[in-house]
């Protein structure tokens, strides 16, 4: 039986294994004479590479684009819809793990976990010193969540365990979240001004690109921290650098950057009041397994011409 040629760039081995013997994985090649583009019936991505209308037009047999992940800002979904190519993603399964990571970064940056680790390994650590590395108390503080989608709600749920007051900003007010999670709607400016921690949990859209820039950092408390587990371009990195160097905010923790990774000589990497993780939001064993399964389920449904179990619909605006 002929195999289905499917193109993907550096796919996780466990995903390739689950695709099984019916699929031939073609290495990513979008050069002008690419034999892979000419043959592929499916494309699998995971946050990259960019799949726009012009690329789709060069894949004459394309039946399905399956993304291993929920964020599809690298795929022109409207262009795919116009060409009747379904786009699949993996919603839901990573909400808890991404919220866990949000809290992990929040706690780590607030309580100097990374700086403390470096210090504890160094010869300078000679005795317990009660006056060093005194962090920001998390319990009872105010958290501002930008993007009250599925992940934002999971973050709010966890924040309650820390007795945090939770503000949120979203394109639309979510009265059921207010009722169920005890969160309070705020304009973006109010949220920035009142929060001790600002957590970005929104998708990357035209409306959220550069959402947190100089003006927004200027509204934040000098003692506040920014946590970004959304997408790098939501934050203006030059403005972030200035805010951290001038201590107009206390610190930041980024799971995502723009570009990703940052060049090794990027000036953000020199700062002690910044933590950077290599896009680990959904990187837990159970979540990553489910993401693989959903990616493969979508792919095979698309190859068969069936409705995808997890299909992305084009949308605009902020946030989902
Ligand atoms: C997602 O699912 O979008 C995460 O960022 C992992 O890629």
């Amino acid at each position: 039986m002929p195999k289905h040629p499917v193109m993907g760039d550096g796919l996780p081995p466990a995903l390739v294994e689950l695709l099984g013997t019916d699929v031939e994985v073609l290495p990513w090649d979008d050069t002008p004479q690419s034999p892979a583009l000419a043959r592929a019936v499916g494309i699998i991505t995971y946050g990259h590479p960019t799949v726009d209308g012009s690329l789709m037009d060069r894949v004459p047999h394309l039946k399905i684009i399956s993304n291993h992940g929920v964020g599809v800002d690298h795929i022109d979904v409207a262009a795919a819809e116009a060409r009747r190519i379904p786009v699949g993603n993996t919603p839901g399964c990573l909400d808890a793990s991404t919220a866990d990571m949000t809290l992990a970064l929040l706690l780590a940056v607030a309580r100097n976990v990374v700086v403390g680790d470096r210090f504890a390994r160094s010869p300078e650590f000679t005795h317990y010193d009660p006056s060093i590395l005194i962090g920001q108390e998390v319990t009872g503080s105010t958290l501002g969540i930008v993007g009250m989608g599925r992940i934002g709600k999971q973050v709010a749920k966890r924040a309650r365990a820390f007795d945090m007051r939770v503000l949120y900003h979203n394109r639309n007010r979510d009265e059921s979240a207010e009722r169920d999670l005890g969160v309070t709607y705020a304009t973006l400016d109010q949220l920035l001004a009142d929060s001790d921690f600002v957590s970005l949990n929104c998708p990357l859209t035209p409306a959220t690109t550069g959402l947190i820039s100089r003006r927004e950092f200027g509204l934040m408390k000098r003692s506040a921290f920014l946590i970004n587990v959304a997408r790098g371009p939501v934050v203006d990195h030059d403005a972030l650098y200035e805010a951290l160097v001038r201590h107009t905010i206390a610190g930041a923790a980024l799971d995502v950057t723009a570009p990703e990774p940052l060049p090794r000589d990027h000036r953000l990497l020199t700062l002690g009041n910044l933590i950077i993780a290599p896009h680990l939001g959904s990187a837990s064993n159970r979540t990553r397994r489910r993401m693989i399964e959903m990616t493969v389920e979508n792919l095979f449904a698309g190859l068969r011409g069936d409705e995808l179990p997890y299909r992305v619909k084009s949308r605009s605006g902020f946030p989902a």
Side-chain angles (χ1 to χ4, degrees):
M1 191 171 97
K3 293 187 175 198
H4 304 290
V6 167
M7 201 168 80
D9 183 28
L11 300 179
L15 196 162
V16 174
E17 195 186 328
L18 194 64
L19 289 172
T21 50
D22 287 349
V23 170
E24 176 189 0
V25 177
L26 308 173
W28 192 264
D29 175 8
D30 56 8
T31 56
Q33 306 305 324
S34 164
L37 291 183
R39 291 183 56 215
V41 291
I43 286 178
I44 302 180
T45 61
Y46 56 98
H48 87 291
T50 298
V51 182
D52 57 15
S54 69
L55 186 110
M56 295 171 204
D57 288 340
R58 296 169 58 209
V59 193
H61 308 296
L62 187 58
K63 294 182 179 167
I64 162 78
I65 302 166
S66 182
N67 184 54
H68 173 60
V70 73
V72 289
D73 42 277
H74 58 297
I75 301 172
D76 188 339
V77 178
E81 279 179 356
R83 290 161 179 76
R84 297 182 184 283
I85 300 163
V87 178
N89 69 345
T90 67
C93 69
L94 45 70
D95 303 344
S97 53
T98 306
D100 290 350
M101 186 65 183
T102 305
L103 267 292
L105 288 175
L106 186 156
L107 289 162
V109 75
R111 297 298 304 277
N112 294 309
V113 172
V114 176
V115 183
D117 173 83
R118 286 193 206 115
F119 179 72
R121 293 166 194 259
S122 77
E124 280 97 78
F125 180 40
T126 52
H127 61 280
Y128 161 57
D129 181 346
S131 59
I132 62 160
L133 296 178
I134 296 171
Q136 165 78 35
E137 180 111 356
V138 172
T139 298
S141 61
T142 298
L143 171 66
I145 300 175
V146 179
M148 190 47 73
R150 286 184 304 259
I151 296 171
K153 288 187 179 116
Q154 290 289 325
V155 172
K157 204 169 148 191
R158 283 154 180 72
R160 290 187 64 180
F162 287 89
D163 293 331
M164 295 174 101
R165 169 180 169 239
V166 181
L167 307 177
Y168 77 97
H169 180 68
N170 201 50
R171 181 178 52 171
N172 301 311
R173 247 184 101 156
D174 186 337
E175 279 163 17
S176 67
E178 291 172 21
R179 225 178 15 253
D180 300 345
L181 298 167
V183 296
T184 304
Y185 176 80
T187 64
L188 182 61
D189 289 5
Q190 279 168 345
L191 178 149
L192 293 169
D194 285 359
S195 298
D196 299 306
F197 299 93
V198 174
S199 176
L200 304 179
N201 296 103
C202 54
L204 178 65
T205 67
T208 63
T209 301
L211 185 72
I212 306 298
S213 191
R214 277 185 187 85
R215 191 189 76 84
E216 289 71 29
F217 283 117
L219 295 172
M220 289 173 69
K221 296 181 187 178
R222 293 187 84 86
S223 56
F225 294 84
L226 179 78
I227 293 94
N228 186 10
V229 295
R231 283 290 185 265
V234 176
V235 177
D236 175 334
H237 286 25
D238 289 333
L240 173 64
Y241 177 80
E242 282 167 24
L244 290 171
V245 157
R246 295 181 186 156
H247 297 280
T248 57
I249 65 169
L254 308 178
D255 188 42
V256 285
T257 56
E260 202 169 283
L262 291 174
R264 297 302 82 187
D265 59 354
H266 196 286
R267 56 190 184 155
L268 275 174
L269 300 181
T270 63
L271 301 180
N273 52 352
L274 174 70
I275 294 179
I276 305 192
H279 203 139
L280 297 180
S282 59
S284 73
N285 47 8
R286 200 171 350 137
T287 295
R288 284 286 158 91
R289 183 65 204 170
R290 188 64 196 129
M291 285 166 69
I292 285 173
E293 289 165 358
M294 291 166 81
T295 307
V296 172
E297 285 169 43
N298 274 333
L299 182 88
F300 281 119
L303 294 179
R304 287 191 305 268
D306 291 348
E307 185 53 39
L308 306 193
Y310 317 102
R311 182 170 177 170
V312 181
K313 301 264 177 355
S314 70
R315 62 173 179 219
S316 57
F318 150 72

